[in-house]
């Protein structure tokens, strides 16, 4: 977890948006890394992150009161649901959905999966913000031992009228999007991508999105046109 | 106040700092972070006659003090650029340089013709680091005869200053610069990215979908400075230097090596205000060193 206090007045973020963060002024790692904000209040912004490589290691090495450089808030937003909704999170994907739970407290039925219990952080706080939380792990160390898509599929079968919000690994999001498409449910995915600029300038982070004129899909930037897309428009490639 | 103004092939810039093509979108992307009026010039993402899709992802991967990219020249095409992006760019008091490319001589000529007749476009920068359809996809800028042909043809239709952007992936960039000069270029810019590769050792697959990509960022700066110096010794036309410029100190190395203008690329990603900070620090350097005119620094290397 990382909490920052902007030195200059900053724009307030909305659920779904993210920031590009970089600890230190070194050229290695050179580029900033994208992170969803977890919460923003009283002028400070909080992030929840998992250490993966050199960028996140450098952030973890920060000590209190050190400065970090950031750009944001960036990207579009989740359309805030008017009533009840379903959320599906994979591991740290909870960070992106967390602010939506705050904006629509007590309205989400959450399906949250990880490889092990250790991947599921702040479970008690999350439980307090949602209607129900169903937890799964690959190894059974917390909740049900299954893929997160299993209990979600069962619930969706009788609740396909609810909109579905997803953030997690690409294979998980692709599977959830397919289930929603079969069930006729609206589904919004927050996509992952390697990013360099975060502002739509480098075209490094693109994904193919269909529109009414182009069924094959056209490249859109995840950072600027996303990260949230209507899952039915996403052309899932690879994986 | 020292003078920062420079003349690049007949185009007067208020200062030598520009953006590097492909790292600054069409200008709009960074307009909320910086005042574009502060820049010597905005160089837009490479344009082709028809829109181009670009490569599959992953398109970027970070390497030690640099990054590899294989965007594949994705762009909205000349027509949409003129219609949708030029009205915005015309609002600013800065020079607009259109970077462009083609996969045949005809396409280069056609794109240059249309762009150079567009109101508000002050110069063209010709990217010759792309493959030639008619010559087995060999890169235009790596064969002197091919380079001569395409620059000569574009020169005939281009009514505004023409900058030829050289590829570093050649044996002698000084020779290529001479060819560009002899074919009518008003200036040369260098360097474009250096071809590179990165591999995931567990899957043993390339990290880029395109397998290879172009290296940019601080990692390439010493190579770029050396090339600018070699080109400075070979041609009389002005040089726009780039490759790994992150700070004013980096920019100054290029100026001293012989560049009259400099472009900031990858640094924009790290710090959206990099260009403006470089303009300010450059001015401060001139004040501190009691240099009245930035042009005094150009090619001032002491040997
Ligand atoms: C919109 C968005 C929001 C996000 N929000 C969060 C969040 O809230 N919390 C969180 O923890 N994470 C979040 N992430 C993910 C986070 O950005 C990454 O975990 C982070 O960038 C990792 O940086 P690193 O330097 O630590 O790892 P890196 O060193 O960059 O690499 C991690 C792994 O990816 C591999 N890799 C790197 N580049 C490539 C490539 N081009 N192709 C294939 N493999 C590659 C590396 O080899 C390594 O195995 C978010 C991502 C996006 C796009
Ligand atoms: C993501 C990316 C896209 C680029 N696109 C173009 C392009 O369209 N046309 C071009 O001539 N150069 C392009 N370049 C090369 C840059 O303009 C510049 O020559 C190079 O990156 C070296 O400068 P730098 O190290 O400051 O980034 C691109 C570079 C990057 C990193
Ligand atoms: S990260 Fe540069 S366009 Fe999205």
């Amino acid at each position: 977890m990382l909490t920052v206090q902007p030195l200059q007045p900053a724009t307030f973020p909305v659920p779904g948006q993210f920031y590009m963060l970089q600890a230190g002024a070194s050229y290695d790692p050179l580029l900033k890394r994208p992170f969803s904000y977890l919460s923003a209040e009283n002028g400070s912004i909080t992030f929840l992150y998992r250490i993966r490589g050199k960028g996140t290691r450098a952030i973890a090495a920060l000590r209190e009161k050190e400065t970090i450089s950031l750009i944001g808030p960036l990207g579009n937003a989740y359309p805030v649901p008017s009533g009840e909704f379903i959320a599906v999170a994979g591991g740290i994907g909870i960070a992106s959905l967390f602010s939506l739970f705050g904006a629509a407290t007590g309205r989400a039925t959450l399906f949250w999966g990880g490889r092990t219990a250790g991947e599921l952080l702040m479970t008690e706080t999350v439980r307090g913000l949602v209607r129900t939380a169903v937890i799964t792990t690959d190894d059974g160390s917390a909740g049900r031992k299954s893929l997160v898509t299993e209990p979600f599929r069962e619930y969706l079968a009788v609740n396909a009228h609810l909109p579905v919000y997803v953030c997690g690994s690409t294979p998980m999001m692709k599977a959830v999007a397919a289930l929603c498409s079969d069930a006729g449910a609206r589904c919004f995915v927050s996509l992952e991508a390697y990013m360099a600029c975060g502002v739509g300038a480098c075209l490094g982070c693109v994904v193919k999105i269909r529109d009414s004129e182009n069924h094959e899909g056209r490249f859109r930037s995840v950072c600027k046109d996303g990260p949230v897309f209507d899952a039915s428009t996403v052309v899932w490639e690879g994986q | 106040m020292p003078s920062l103004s420079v003349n690049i092939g007949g185009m007067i810039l208020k200062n030598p700092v520009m953006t590097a093509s492909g790292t600054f979108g069409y200008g709009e992307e960074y307009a909320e972070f910086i005042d574009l009026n502060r820049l010597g010039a905005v160089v837009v993402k490479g344009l082709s006659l028809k829109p181009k899709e670009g490569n599959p992802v992953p398109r970027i991967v970070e390497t030690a003090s640099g990054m590899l990219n294989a965007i594949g020249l994705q762009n909205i095409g000349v027509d949409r650029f003129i219609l949708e992006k030029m009205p915005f760019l015309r609002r600013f008091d800065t020079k607009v340089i259109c970077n462009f490319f083609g996969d045949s001589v005809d396409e280069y000529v056609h794109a240059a013709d249309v762009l150079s007749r567009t109101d508000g476009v002050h110069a063209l920068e010709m990217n010759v680091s792309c493959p030639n359809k008619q010559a087995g996809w060999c890169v235009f800028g790596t064969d002197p005869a091919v380079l001569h042909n395409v620059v000569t043809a574009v020169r005939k239709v281009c009514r505004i200053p023409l900058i030829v952007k050289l590829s570093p992936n050649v044996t002698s960039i000084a020779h290529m610069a001479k060819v560009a000069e002899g074919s009518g270029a008003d200036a040369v810019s260098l360097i474009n990215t250096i071809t590179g590769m990165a591999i995931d050792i567990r899957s043993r697959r390339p990290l880029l979908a395109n397998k290879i990509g172009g290296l940019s960022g601080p990692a390439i700066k010493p190579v770029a400075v050396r090339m600018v110096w070699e080109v400075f010794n070979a041609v009389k036309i002005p040089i726009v230097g780039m490759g790994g410029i992150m700070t004013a100190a980096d920019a100054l190395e290029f100026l001293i090596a012989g560049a009259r203008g400099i472009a900031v690329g990858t640094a924009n990603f790290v710090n959206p205000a990099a260009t403006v900070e470089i303009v300010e620090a450059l001015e401060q350097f001139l004040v501190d060193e009691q240099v009245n005119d930035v042009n005094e620094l150009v090619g001032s290397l002491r040997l």
Side-chain angles (χ1 to χ4, degrees):
Chain A
M1 188 124 79
L2 169 82
T3 299
V4 302
Q5 231 131 29
L7 299 172
Q8 303 145 7
T11 318
F12 213 70
V14 290
Q17 287 193 303
F18 68 97
Y19 290 77
M20 297 291 286
L21 302 183
Q22 182 179 37
S26 132
Y27 288 167
D28 192 11
L30 177 67
L31 301 169
K32 291 182 158 56
R33 306 287 197 258
F35 298 92
S36 308
Y37 80 98
L38 191 73
S39 59
E41 51 196 7
N42 306 327
S44 66
I45 311 162
T46 301
F47 299 92
L48 183 68
Y49 65 96
R50 185 164 72 92
I51 298 177
R52 276 186 71 187
K54 43 189 179 182
T56 42
R57 266 200 304 276
I59 293 173
L62 282 173
R63 277 162 311 189
E64 214 173 316
K65 301 242 157 60
E66 277 190 294
T67 56
I68 184 164
S69 79
L70 64 79
I71 314 175
L74 300 168
N76 64 1
Y78 290 114
V80 176
S82 48
E84 266 184 54
F85 64 103
I86 305 175
V88 188
I92 198 74
I94 199 74
S96 161
L97 292 162
F98 191 88
S99 55
L100 187 64
F101 301 153
T105 307
R107 302 216 297 257
T109 298
L110 167 68
F111 297 88
W112 185 11
R115 261 168 299 199
T116 66
E119 269 189 26
L120 309 174
L121 305 165
M122 305 180 36
T123 42
E124 284 322 303
T125 318
V126 170
R127 276 185 200 283
L129 290 172
V130 300
R131 210 168 141 255
T132 334
V134 178
I135 283 175
T136 68
T137 48
D138 293 355
D139 63 0
S141 54
R144 178 165 154 181
K145 182 177 174 177
S146 82
L147 289 176
V148 71
T149 41
E150 286 307 312
F152 165 70
R153 184 209 310 266
E154 293 155 18
Y155 187 79
L156 185 70
V158 286
N159 291 284
H161 60 288
L162 298 179
V164 180
Y165 292 75
V166 201
C167 186
S169 70
T170 303
M172 184 275 263
M173 291 195 282
K174 186 180 170 184
V176 169
L179 291 171
C180 290
S181 161
D182 292 346
R186 278 308 289 281
C187 176
F188 300 98
V189 287
S190 177
L191 298 180
E192 271 246 291
Y194 293 102
M195 293 185 179
C197 70
V199 302
C202 73
L203 304 177
C205 66
V206 296
V207 57
K208 269 206 177 144
I209 299 293
R210 287 187 198 95
D211 56 37
S212 50
E213 291 158 40
N214 192 324
H215 198 73
E216 305 280 275
R218 274 191 253 261
F219 283 124
R220 303 262 172 217
S221 58
V222 172
C223 66
K224 180 117 192 199
D225 301 318
V228 180
F229 292 96
D230 181 328
S232 66
T233 66
V234 177
V235 180
W236 302 92
E237 290 181 320
Q239 265 100 25
Chain B
M1 272 295 151
S3 167
L4 283 175
S5 175
V6 295
N7 180 337
I8 307 286
M11 175 182 47
I12 312 289
L13 309 190
K14 64 175 83 165
N15 66 59
V17 181
M18 6 189 154
T19 62
S21 175
T23 64
F24 206 70
Y26 300 107
E28 295 171 332
E29 290 82 353
Y30 283 99
E32 61 175 298
F33 297 98
I34 60 164
D35 178 3
L36 301 185
N37 295 312
R38 301 290 306 280
L39 303 179
V42 169
V43 182
V44 301
K45 173 71 188 162
L47 295 160
S48 48
L49 211 48
K50 296 263 139 26
K52 211 165 174 273
E53 276 248 282
N55 289 328
V57 289
R59 289 176 168 189
I60 49 174
V61 59
E62 187 172 317
T63 56
S65 301
M67 65 178 278
L68 286 168
N69 88 78
I71 307 298
L73 296 166
Q74 178 183 337
N75 77 95
I76 59 174
V78 165
D79 292 345
R80 268 187 66 198
F81 168 77
I82 294 172
L83 218 63
E84 297 172 18
K85 308 293 176 182
M86 275 310 295
F88 174 81
L89 287 168
R90 279 189 202 108
R91 299 213 298 259
F92 297 91
D93 172 28
T94 184
K95 301 293 181 204
V96 174
I97 302 179
C98 286
N99 182 286
F100 73 104
F101 67 96
D103 62 14
S104 65
V105 173
D106 274 358
E107 260 188 48
Y108 268 104
V109 168
H110 202 139
D113 184 35
V114 177
L115 286 168
S116 79
R117 280 188 285 120
T118 301
D119 180 36
V121 175
H122 300 98
L124 298 188
E125 180 181 57
M126 185 171 170
N127 175 5
V128 292
S129 300
C130 55
N132 181 352
K133 188 161 68 179
Q134 287 141 342
W137 300 105
C138 145
V139 173
F140 283 95
T142 57
D143 179 324
V146 175
L147 183 65
H148 172 76
N149 269 342
V150 70
V151 176
T152 307
V154 165
R155 176 72 282 176
K156 285 200 187 111
V157 299
C158 179
R159 297 155 175 82
I160 53 181
L162 176 65
I163 306 168
V164 174
K165 182 164 179 180
L166 301 172
S167 164
N169 305 308
V170 293
T171 313
S172 167
I173 199 163
H175 181 60
M176 293 300 175
K178 272 192 194 153
V179 170
E181 181 179 45
S183 313
D186 297 304
V188 285
S189 57
L190 60 142
I191 61 176
N192 211 317
T193 54
I194 301 176
T195 309
M197 187 173 187
I199 296 170
D200 181 325
I201 56 168
R202 307 235 176 256
S203 66
R204 302 189 198 176
R205 290 177 194 282
L207 281 167
L208 293 173
N210 188 53
K211 302 180 207 58
I212 61 170
L215 185 63
S216 66
I220 70 171
K221 195 189 81 179
V223 179
V225 172
R226 183 265 294 178
M227 289 185 164
V228 164
W229 179 64
E230 285 176 353
V231 169
F232 180 72
N233 290 322
V235 300
K236 294 196 178 61
I237 51 178
I239 299 166
V240 178
M242 72 192 92
I245 297 177
M246 303 293 285
T247 62
D250 297 333
L252 281 156
E253 277 194 60
F254 281 82
L255 295 172
I256 293 166
R260 198 161 292 273
I262 61 100
V264 179
T266 303
N268 292 302
F269 304 157
V270 182
N271 172 12
T275 44
V276 171
E277 287 173 14
I278 289 172
V279 173
E280 284 165 2
L282 200 58
E283 185 158 26
Q284 190 57 49
F285 179 86
L286 297 183
V287 171
D288 294 347
E289 297 289 310
Q290 297 176 341
V291 178
N292 292 321
D293 185 333
V294 72
N295 289 287
E296 289 170 31
L297 290 176
V298 177
S300 64
L301 184 73
R302 294 177 181 145
L303 294 169

